Amino acid sequence: MNSNMPKDSGLDKTLSLLKEGYEFVMNRDRALDTNIFETRILGEKTICLTGSKQAELFYDNTRFRRSDAAPARVKKTLFGEGGVQGLDGDAHKNRKAMFMSLMDNKAMDEIESLTERYWHEFFADINEFETIELYEAAKIVFLQVACDWVGVSLEDEDLETRAKQISDLYESPAELGIQHWKGRKSRSEAEDWIQELIEGVRNGEIEADKDRALYQFAMHKDLDGKLLDAQIATVEILNLIRPINAISVWVAMMGLALHEHKEEAGKLKGASLEQLEWFIQEVRRYYPFFPVAVARVDLDFKWQGYEFKEGTLTLLDLYGTNRHPDDWSRPEKFSPERFKGWQQTPFNFIPQGGGCYDFGHRCAGEFITIVVMRTTLDFLVNHLEFEVPDQDFSFEYNDIPAVPNDKVKIKPTRLK
């Protein structure tokens, strides 16, 4: 190990990582008084980074690569194999451009309209005072939003079954035993579903809207001018549907924020879109979502006196960076107004990764997340009256993703 880099004492820390979850890196940052340290995960030397300066280093694509960084269990559940998250260089730029071509203002307007529509339709079918788990409801609503926007028909589908299948992809990567294998099974079933559609578009059996992602991805050509392998195109379609569905995690945390921070929640009724956005951005900063981003050192280099050796596994603490005292005033306080006039950099606010959107590894769907969350918040505070029954709002930091234990239960009383 590097002689001059702070080190986590002891042997392999895989079990500590599983036990501490989102707080693993933060706990060692505090104990070692550092933003960078070495440890061992799964028997492998690992460098951990926290903070905006370290994030800027991590997203330097001349120094780090992604192609062999993500663990197999993540590829076989969350990302899929061959997806954009594991590409580097020109191949990554080509594939990322495919995603970014969809993220225009027209698309955001449509997603806003779809989100509003499907929340209203969901609660229009609910009996008065029926108890609803907001987290599970969001999975249904956002699957419909995602599939409508992508161009995938749900007409013949069991919504609850498909929503559970898609949510397994992001609920299972950190699980052990049967729950993890359930995620792998769901990945296989979801890919079978989408690949049949991709092949149907290509052979003319399915008439797809040429402006939708289903058609665009099915007909996308790689750097060699060849159509993407059907399985890869399938993975990338799921890399649109799955993250939109995963916004359900944020909605659960938004429900928790409305409960825990009633003074701030009281300011939202009739608030401007800008004020709603302050609130949802603070939810994204304050509460955990995805714990770390992963890369490997691509070549030997030195940075601030520390040696980085080619091939070394490197983790960037997303949750810790969003709460880093060098970047945030009173980070432990929930304060939406901190976003009033706030100037974001590509590295100081990274709930869905950092760097640039067009060519870097920042999530292409972050724009969608903001629109969907803002529209959902507006619906909850201005279009739905509901009661909140007694329940367990606590969550565990070693549950990934973290969601309140009772999934935020509400009893709707009036839809406006």
Side-chain angles (χ1 to χ4, degrees), residues 72-346:
R73 62 174 25 246
V74 174
K75 293 179 182 179
K76 291 182 181 296
T77 52
L78 182 68
F79 292 150
E81 297 184 276
V84 65
Q85 298 92 344
L87 299 180
D88 296 296
D90 290 340
H92 178 262
K93 291 179 182 178
N94 174 272
R95 195 79 62 79
K96 190 67 178 290
M98 180 179 75
F99 282 86
M100 293 307 299
S101 67
L102 304 171
M103 306 297 168
D104 57 17
N105 290 335
K106 180 181 177 182
M108 297 306 109
D109 289 343
E110 182 182 8
I111 287 169
E112 180 179 15
S113 177
L114 287 170
T115 304
E116 183 177 0
R117 169 191 162 188
Y118 281 119
W119 274 122
H120 274 88
E121 287 186 5
F122 181 90
F123 280 99
D125 291 335
I126 298 300
N127 295 325
E128 188 176 355
F129 291 107
E130 180 179 348
T131 299
I132 299 299
E133 292 175 345
L134 191 58
Y135 178 51
E136 298 298 333
K139 291 179 184 180
I140 300 293
V141 169
F142 297 160
L143 177 66
Q144 294 172 291
V145 171
C147 287
D148 266 21
W149 181 63
V150 167
V152 171
S153 173
L154 289 170
E155 184 176 343
D156 298 323
E157 302 294 335
D158 181 326
L159 284 179
E160 290 190 7
T161 298
R162 284 296 182 198
K164 186 67 179 74
Q165 187 181 85
I166 297 299
S167 64
D168 281 344
L169 306 186
Y170 56 83
E171 291 179 341
S172 65
E175 294 289 346
L176 300 175
I178 191 170
Q179 289 302 114
H180 175 72
W181 287 101
K182 184 181 177 184
R184 290 196 179 196
K185 181 175 182 289
S186 289
R187 162 62 65 176
S188 178
E189 292 171 346
E191 288 189 1
D192 287 346
W193 169 41
I194 298 299
Q195 186 162 339
E196 185 177 348
L197 300 179
I198 292 289
E199 292 172 347
V201 171
R202 288 181 174 180
N203 63 29
E205 292 179 0
I206 295 176
E207 185 176 347
D209 186 333
K210 292 185 178 181
D211 293 328
R212 299 291 176 187
L214 178 62
Y215 180 87
Q216 293 290 325
F217 285 21
M219 307 309 293
H220 182 79
K221 294 182 179 180
D222 61 20
L223 292 173
D224 296 326
K226 299 178 180 178
L227 288 176
L228 290 178
D229 179 88
Q231 193 274 333
I232 299 297
T234 295
V235 166
E236 301 299 33
I237 287 291
L238 287 172
N239 276 331
L240 287 172
I241 295 173
R242 184 259 308 159
I244 294 175
N245 190 264
I247 300 171
S248 305
V249 176
W250 283 131
V251 169
M253 288 308 195
M254 188 162 66
L256 176 59
L258 292 172
H259 170 74
E260 288 189 328
H261 307 285
K262 291 184 172 60
E263 182 177 349
E264 295 296 339
K267 302 175 184 178
L268 297 174
K269 200 169 188 63
S272 66
L273 292 180
E274 183 181 34
Q275 289 170 307
L276 294 173
E277 189 161 316
W278 297 346
F279 190 91
I280 63 108
Q281 292 289 56
E282 182 67 344
V283 168
R284 297 174 70 231
R285 184 200 69 83
Y286 186 84
Y287 294 101
F289 182 60
F290 201 73
V292 296
V294 186
R296 287 191 184 275
V297 179
D298 199 35
L299 76 172
D300 293 353
F301 69 91
K302 288 186 178 180
W303 183 78
Q304 294 191 356
Y306 299 129
E307 294 181 359
F308 288 74
K309 295 294 185 181
E310 192 275 331
T312 304
L313 184 66
T314 305
L315 309 182
L316 174 66
D317 182 9
L318 304 179
Y319 178 58
T321 297
N322 292 332
R323 285 171 158 260
H324 201 286
D326 288 350
D327 299 305
W328 301 94
S329 174
R330 299 182 66 190
E332 75 290 346
K333 178 177 173 58
F334 186 87
S335 177
E337 291 190 359
R338 71 171 75 244
F339 285 93
K340 183 178 182 179
W342 177 72
Q343 296 297 313
Q344 181 178 356
T345 77

Side-chain angles (χ1 to χ4, degrees), residues 5-31:
M5 188 176 287
K7 298 173 182 63
D8 187 12
S9 62
L11 300 176
D12 189 274
K13 292 304 179 74
T14 305
L15 292 179
S16 297
L17 176 60
L18 293 174
K19 181 180 179 180
E20 299 171 44
Y22 293 95
E23 297 182 309
F24 175 81
V25 177
M26 292 176 65
N27 289 340
R28 283 148 186 80
D29 287 341
R30 296 189 189 105

